Amino acid sequence: MAFRLALDTMGGDYGPGEIIPAAIYALKKHHDLELQLVGLEDVIKPRLAQLTPELSIRAQVIHAPEVVAMDEAPSSALRNKKKSSMRVAIEQVKKGQAHACVSAGNTGALMAISRYILKMLPGIDRPAICTTIPGINNHTHILDLGANVDSSAEQLFQFAVMGAELTGAVENIVSPKVGLLNVGTEENKGNDQVKQAAALLSNSHLNYIGFVEGNHIYSGYADVIVCDGFVGNIALKASEGVAEFFSHHVSSEFKKNLYGKLASVVSMPILKSIRRKTDPRRYDGASLLGLRGIVIKSHGRADRVSFAHALEEAMLEVEKNIPARITSKLEALLTRN
Amino acid sequence: MAFRLALDTMGGDYGPGEIIPAAIYALKKHHDLELQLVGLEDVIKPRLAQLTPELSIRAQVIHAPEVVAMDEAPSSALRNKKKSSMRVAIEQVKKGQAHACVSAGNTGALMAISRYILKMLPGIDRPAICTTIPGINNHTHILDLGANVDSSAEQLFQFAVMGAELTGAVENIVSPKVGLLNVGTEENKGNDQVKQAAALLSNSHLNYIGFVEGNHIYSGYADVIVCDGFVGNIALKASEGVAEFFSHHVSSEFKKNLYGKLASVVSMPILKSIRRKTDPRRYDGASLLGLRGIVIKSHGRADRVSFAHALEEAMLEVEKNIPARITSKLEALLTRN
């Protein structure tokens, strides 16, 4: 099959300067990939001038005169930016012109516009953001990451169903282990929402393994970790903070004096290998689950390496046909009840 | 002044095997320190046999025949373990025999028993756990970390008042910057509790700097970060998970082959310096704030290095007379209203 992805070329802190190089890299790597570069034509076209005809034919430019600002209120973007690159890219999915949309833009606006244009799957109240986390042993998929605050037990259950379908498909796991994020693993721990969600999960078809704690996120202990968007967002950003704290100290100690600089030369291959294995850019590309279509969010600070990974995540979800899988699982659940 | 601390010698995953060496280390380092080692006499006494008379005179053993298990329900510990090392240590504070109590034991039980024995300060509903976090530029104190779920806006405000008093005193800052943990820095972000707490903080005497995000925790951007115990606990444990993930990769890459081993020998002084600067044990010793007395919680997995730091945190809070400072601040607030 050919993969057709619509890119919000203007989104993210670095915009076309990083997104177009990522697009070109992906086109070179994947010969079955066709990209629709949505945004200001005058900005995009010159950056494609050097493409070979073979690449050029797979890179379509779609002009969109407006740009959603990174700090714009989602309601304002939805109401006032009807010709934004973000919205036009999402509309390509709605019209069946693209298999998926990828954006590094304003998360709230991407959620609101996607929901408005594509609509929710039946049985799902709100979209959830799901990302892949590297673990010591294996990956964990965690959702929700910032879209929703005060999720009800039923919504946490919906997140679990969607997360398990996504994870099962992309990681090739028959019955992914689902954990519920809490402040302890004992039954009496936590707030009412998690206790009620635990009851729903215990009585479900899912492979529910019980409560998990914050440190389980990076251990690979569960395949899917479910949480409220408020908690998930803060846990993930705290993790980014710790990672920055570590790399600050590693780099400043190795640069501190001549001996450190010498040691860093000797250790360069090792340090590079560590950096590669812990590089968050390799895990860029979060899914907006629960929509009637595939929308992938790349990190706001995504550079070309990050964004190229987000494109590959989109291709994987297209190949695995995630929304259709979630729909049929939800239909089975609704029929059973 | 002489510092008199009561130690729950039986608490923590490693118990007396790590706590007594930490105590001996602290006695050697601080000549104005007197310790009350509370727990099973038969276990403690043999471990003190080698002490010089000068140290021995400052290490009093107080027999307590019961031990609170690490996974025991707080209600059960409160009801059934009236002669536990934890409870007897807290009672030493209540009786004025010790300036503070330090325990690496069961957090929930420590909260419940401290609250029962020592009682809350007037104007404070529930105790909050506050810890120091290392930042790239300077320290941040964060609370609450697991004691309370579903904190109201008023309780978040109380946490802010207590956290600011503690931080101002121990870090010597006149007007510590207080941030409220949220999923974004814009005013419209977050759940109802944080929005209402933001309103209370904006109208207060505190140096409130607005919403902060998860990645601000490790940046030193705020001096005090306030959050619900559910969120704080998960953010902190997620951070521990990331730290373990990093150290796993660093150690496995340097051990992978002969070249890596050679590089690690060359880099040893640098790696040691990095480890020292990022060692969480240096920040062990969380305060249970809001009680009529000083109770310090050491990490459940505390070894002798961690526990010795927790002892120093206790000494610092005794010196700064934290509960009295919080009380007088609360009285000023109550009078004003």
Side-chain angles (χ1 to χ4, degrees), chain A residues 3-119:
Chain A
F3 294 91
R4 287 197 309 279
L5 307 181
L7 273 53
D8 168 13
T9 312
M10 311 306 290
D13 291 348
Y14 307 122
E18 291 294 320
I19 290 174
I20 293 174
I24 295 171
Y25 167 83
L27 286 170
K28 285 180 181 163
K29 185 169 171 190
H30 303 283
H31 297 278
D32 48 0
L33 179 63
E34 296 172 19
L35 295 179
Q36 297 159 7
L37 298 161
V38 186
L40 298 170
E41 212 169 40
D42 292 349
V43 173
I44 302 170
K45 282 203 163 155
R47 294 175 190 263
L48 302 175
Q50 305 299 321
L51 289 192
T52 63
E54 193 279 319
L55 293 178
S56 184
I57 207 167
R58 294 191 280 119
Q60 181 192 352
V61 177
I62 298 179
H63 181 62
E66 293 174 334
V67 176
V68 174
M70 290 303 276
D71 59 353
E72 193 165 349
S75 55
S76 147
L78 184 61
R79 212 169 31 238
N80 305 323
K81 296 280 177 72
K82 294 192 178 155
K83 291 178 174 172
S84 69
S85 55
M86 184 185 279
R87 182 153 175 166
V88 172
I90 296 167
E91 281 167 345
Q92 287 296 102
V93 178
K94 174 70 181 174
K95 290 190 284 186
Q97 299 292 313
H99 295 114
C101 156
V102 185
S103 173
N106 182 323
T107 309
L110 187 66
M111 298 287 297
I113 299 172
S114 298
R115 192 175 174 176
Y116 179 78
I117 303 284
L118 297 174
K119 314 295 179 203

Side-chain angles (χ1 to χ4, degrees), chain B residues 171-186:
Chain B
E171 304 277 356
N172 291 312
I173 302 172
V174 175
S175 188
K177 289 177 283 179
V178 177
L180 194 55
L181 195 58
N182 199 354
V183 293
T185 53
E186 304 85 357

Side-chain angles (χ1 to χ4, degrees), chain A residues 70-71 73-74 134-136 146 149-150 181-184 186 188 190-194 213-218 229-231 233-235 237-251 253-254 256-257 259-260 262-271 273-274 277-278 301, chain B residues 70-71 73-74 134-136 146 149-150 181-184 186 188 190-194 213-218 229-231 233-235 237-251 253-254 256-257 259-260 262-271 273-274 277-278 301:
Chain A
M70 290 303 276
D71 59 353
I136 290 176
V149 297
D150 295 321
L181 195 58
N182 199 354
V183 292
E186 303 85 357
N188 63 335
N191 56 28
D192 290 344
Q193 291 98 302
V194 299
E213 297 195 65
N215 51 322
H216 290 129
I217 300 175
Y218 292 85
F230 190 86
V231 173
N233 177 290
I234 287 172
K237 288 197 179 151
S239 306
E240 287 180 19
V242 177
E244 278 166 31
F245 173 76
F246 268 93
S247 52
H248 166 82
H249 281 295
V250 170
S251 113
E253 288 302 310
F254 271 110
K256 209 162 67 176
N257 54 35
Y259 185 81
L262 168 73
S264 84
V265 172
V266 174
S267 302
M268 196 48 78
I270 319 291
L271 295 174
S273 172
I274 294 167
K277 293 204 168 160
T278 58
R301 281 183 285 159
Chain B
M70 290 304 276
D71 58 354
I136 291 176
V149 298
D150 295 323
L181 195 58
N182 199 354
V183 293
E186 304 85 357
N188 62 335
N191 55 29
D192 289 343
Q193 290 98 303
V194 298
E213 298 194 65
N215 51 323
H216 290 130
I217 300 176
Y218 292 85
F230 190 88
V231 173
N233 178 290
I234 288 172
K237 288 198 177 147
S239 305
E240 286 180 19
V242 176
E244 279 166 30
F245 173 77
F246 268 92
S247 51
H248 167 81
H249 281 294
V250 170
S251 112
E253 288 302 310
F254 271 112
K256 210 163 68 178
N257 54 34
Y259 185 81
L262 169 72
S264 84
V265 171
V266 174
S267 302
M268 197 48 77
I270 319 292
L271 295 174
S273 172
I274 294 168
K277 292 203 169 161
T278 59
R301 281 184 284 159

Side-chain angles (χ1 to χ4, degrees), chain A residues 211-232:
Chain A
F211 292 140
V212 298
E213 297 195 65
N215 51 322
H216 290 129
I217 300 175
Y218 292 85
S219 70
Y221 175 73
D223 299 309
V224 184
I225 291 182
V226 173
C227 60
D228 173 78
F230 190 86
V231 173

